[in-house]
């Protein structure tokens, strides 16, 4: 009689089954958390505004790509203080809203002006509080670049001022010239009288200042751009300084005090530009050089204008020989509004208009003081234009 041996099946203890299920659920939860972290990271990096998450000790937890690229922050930022990474400082920033928002639990908005790569940038910064159940807390800060918006708003204000000046000041100045001649006749005062000439010159300067300011505002307004050969326009400059357009900016009033020479190497340099704006900028360059000569009372001077394309860069230099502008005045020459109360200073808008025309065509203007001369050096690179 054969005996069947029954196999004994080992039963898995219930606690082991529970542990196995728990491990599976934990792995699934970890996978989902990892996916969620990747999705949030990708979403933060997709935003074209800065996101920064910090804890209550001001340690950085998260920085999105926009912030890392804007401030050139390396990837090893986690755990570092926000003021160390963003401002390069060893002490916390004064007046920022982070601490205040943490304690109050209410979000705040502020504007910050930051200097990035030498350019002033305006950011709208919002700070929001966050808190975990276990008591850890901190803030989320968003950085939105509103530089362009503020520039447009400021330009609208300047345009309003320009219209006011053009209307009110010019309407007041124009009759004064006629009244001045009537007074001269009534008083038997010849037009050659020095006092008469001083008064007439003052009225002319006032009217011209209004015209220059108006042209400066026009230069700042967005233009229509199309392919333009800058060298072609520069080659026409010897004829342009005697043109009707030169008369419209009162350039002939200044010509004759300086001997102008040109050294323009024939070439081509095509960018997207506006012919009218660039032409006016060149004429104001010549006018600005003459105003510089007159302003700093030089007895003798020459204006050398050179242009050539070398290694893909257009170099345009207006060199004013015999006029050495004081070092402290150089910065005032392209920003007369910022130094109106400084003395000595350059109180004309001509070079500011030239500067605006250069920048609008992808160029950079530098005013230099050299041995016995002052130069206005504009360089254009095609890669600067998008």
């Amino acid at each position: 009689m054969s005996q069947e041996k029954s196999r004994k099946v080992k039963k898995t203890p219930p606690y082991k089954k529970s542990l196995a299920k728990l491990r599976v659920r934990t792995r699934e939860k970890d996978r989902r958390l990892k996916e969620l972290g990747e999705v949030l990271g990708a979403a933060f990096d997709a935003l074209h505004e800065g996101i920064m998450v910090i804890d209550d000790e001001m340690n950085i937890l998260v920085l999105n790509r926009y912030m890392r690229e804007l401030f050139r922050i390396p990837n090893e930022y986690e755990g570092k203080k926000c003021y160390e990474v963003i401002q390069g400082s060893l002490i916390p920033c004064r007046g920022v809203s982070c601490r205040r928002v943490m304690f109050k639990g209410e979000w705040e908005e502020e504007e910050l002006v930051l200097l990035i790569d030498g350019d002033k940038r305006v950011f709208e910064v919002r700070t929001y509080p966050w808190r975990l159940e276990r008591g850890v807390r901190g803030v989320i800060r968003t950085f939105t670049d509103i530089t362009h918006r503020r520039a447009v708003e400021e330009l609208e204000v300047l345009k309003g001022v320009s219209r006011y000046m053009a209307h009110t000041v010019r309407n007041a100045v124009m009759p004064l010239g006629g009244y001045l001649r009537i007074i001269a006749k009534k008083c038997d005062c010849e037009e050659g009288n020095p006092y008469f000439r001083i008064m007439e010159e003052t009225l002319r300067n006032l009217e011209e200042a209004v015209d220059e300011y108006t042209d400066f505002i026009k230069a700042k307004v967005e233009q229509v751009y199309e392919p333009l050969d800058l060298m072609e326009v520069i080659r026409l400059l010897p004829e342009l300084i005697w043109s009707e357009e030169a008369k419209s900016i009162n350039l002939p009033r200044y010509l004759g005090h300086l001997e102008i020479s040109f050294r323009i190497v024939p070439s081509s340099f095509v960018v997207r530009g506006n012919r009218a704006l660039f032409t006016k900028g060149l004429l104001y360059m010549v006018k600005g050089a003459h105003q510089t000569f007159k302003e700093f009372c030089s007895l003798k001077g020459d204006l050398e204008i050179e242009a050539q394309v070398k290694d893909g860069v257009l170099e345009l230099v207006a060199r004013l020989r015999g006029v050495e502008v004081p070092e402290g005045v150089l910065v005032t020459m392209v920003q007369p509004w910022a130094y109106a109360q400084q003395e000595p200073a350059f109180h004309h808008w001509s070079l500011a208009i030239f500067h605006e025309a250069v920048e609008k065509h992808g160029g950079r203007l530098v005013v230099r003081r050299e041995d016995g001369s002052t130069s206005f050096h504009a360089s254009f690179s095609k890669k600067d234009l998008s």
Side-chain angles (χ1 to χ4, degrees), residues 20-77:
K21 288 180 182 179
L22 184 60
R23 279 195 289 268
V24 170
R25 284 199 297 268
T26 302
R27 281 197 297 270
E28 181 64 17
K29 189 177 180 181
D30 289 343
R31 184 184 66 80
R32 288 181 180 176
L33 283 173
K34 185 179 178 182
E35 284 182 356
L36 179 61
E38 290 174 353
V39 170
L40 286 174
F44 283 169
D45 285 344
L47 293 173
H48 196 65
E49 62 178 28
I51 301 287
M52 179 171 66
V53 182
I54 60 178
D55 64 17
D56 56 355
E57 295 295 327
M58 310 303 285
N59 298 312
I60 296 178
L61 304 178
V62 177
L63 276 180
N64 71 337
R65 180 187 296 138
Y66 181 88
M67 287 290 284
R68 296 195 302 270
E69 292 178 353
L70 181 68
F71 293 100
R72 291 186 172 84
I73 298 169
N75 291 326
E76 302 80 27
Y77 62 83

Side-chain angles (χ1 to χ4, degrees), residues 90-354:
L90 296 176
I91 57 175
C93 310
R94 283 187 176 183
V96 292
S97 56
C98 298
R99 293 283 188 195
R100 192 166 55 249
V101 168
M102 283 184 209
F103 289 116
K104 288 172 61 179
E106 297 174 0
W107 73 279
E108 290 188 10
E109 181 180 286
E110 60 189 321
E111 276 191 19
L112 291 182
V113 179
L114 301 174
L115 200 63
I116 299 174
D117 296 333
D119 295 325
K120 188 177 77 171
R121 304 272 287 274
V122 184
F123 291 89
E124 184 180 79
V125 181
R126 294 185 176 185
T127 308
Y128 303 90
W130 62 267
R131 181 189 291 270
L132 299 180
E133 288 182 3
R134 64 177 184 269
V136 180
R137 63 183 179 180
V139 294
I140 300 173
R141 308 197 84 195
T142 64
F143 291 72
T144 305
D145 192 340
I146 58 170
T147 307
H148 179 70
R149 189 202 309 170
R150 286 289 175 265
V152 170
E153 291 170 356
E154 288 174 8
L155 181 58
E156 287 302 313
V157 173
L158 291 174
K159 284 163 71 175
V161 174
S162 173
R163 285 191 292 269
Y164 172 81
M165 288 178 63
H167 177 75
T168 307
V169 179
R170 188 179 284 115
N171 286 354
V173 168
M174 287 179 70
L176 284 175
Y179 297 151
L180 189 62
R181 288 176 178 81
I182 292 172
I183 292 170
K185 285 182 180 178
K186 292 283 184 183
C187 300
D188 294 326
C189 176
E190 297 181 2
E191 290 192 8
N193 187 289
Y195 297 109
F196 179 87
R197 287 203 310 272
I198 290 170
M199 292 174 69
E200 194 172 43
E201 183 82 2
T202 302
L203 290 174
R204 261 194 217 165
N205 290 342
L206 182 57
E207 191 173 2
E208 194 169 299
V210 174
D211 291 337
E212 286 184 2
Y213 178 74
T214 303
D215 279 344
F216 174 74
I217 300 303
K218 288 178 181 177
K220 289 187 78 67
V221 174
E222 286 301 318
Q223 311 283 337
V224 176
Y225 295 96
E226 56 188 10
L228 174 68
D229 189 343
L230 300 186
M231 282 298 290
E232 179 191 335
V233 182
I234 293 171
R235 282 198 302 272
L236 296 173
L237 190 55
E239 291 81 37
L240 285 172
I241 60 175
W242 302 103
S243 67
E244 287 299 315
E245 188 157 8
K247 291 177 184 176
S248 72
I249 68 167
N250 292 315
L251 180 56
R253 178 186 175 193
Y254 295 90
L255 296 177
H257 299 288
L258 287 171
E259 186 175 331
I260 308 176
S261 61
F262 296 89
R263 193 177 73 83
I264 301 169
V265 180
S267 186
S268 177
F269 194 84
V270 179
V271 298
R272 290 192 64 78
N274 182 282
R275 191 181 192 92
L277 174 60
F278 190 68
T279 301
K280 182 162 279 189
L282 291 178
L283 292 173
Y284 269 115
M285 174 190 75
V286 177
K287 183 179 178 181
H290 281 77
Q291 287 172 329
T292 304
F293 173 80
K294 183 180 178 183
E295 187 98 359
F296 297 99
C297 304
S298 292
L299 299 175
K300 185 180 179 183
D302 301 299
L303 178 61
E304 300 173 355
I305 297 175
E306 304 173 358
Q308 64 174 337
V309 178
K310 189 176 181 181
D311 298 327
V313 177
L314 167 57
E315 303 284 354
L316 171 63
V317 181
R319 187 171 288 105
L320 191 55
R321 295 202 179 278
V323 182
E324 198 168 346
V325 175
E327 195 73 35
V329 178
L330 294 179
V331 70
T332 74
M333 304 193 81
V334 295
Q335 290 186 327
W337 63 91
Y339 302 91
Q341 295 182 344
Q342 177 177 316
E343 291 294 344
F346 186 73
H347 300 296
H348 303 278
W349 291 84
S350 301
L351 293 173
I353 297 168
F354 176 50

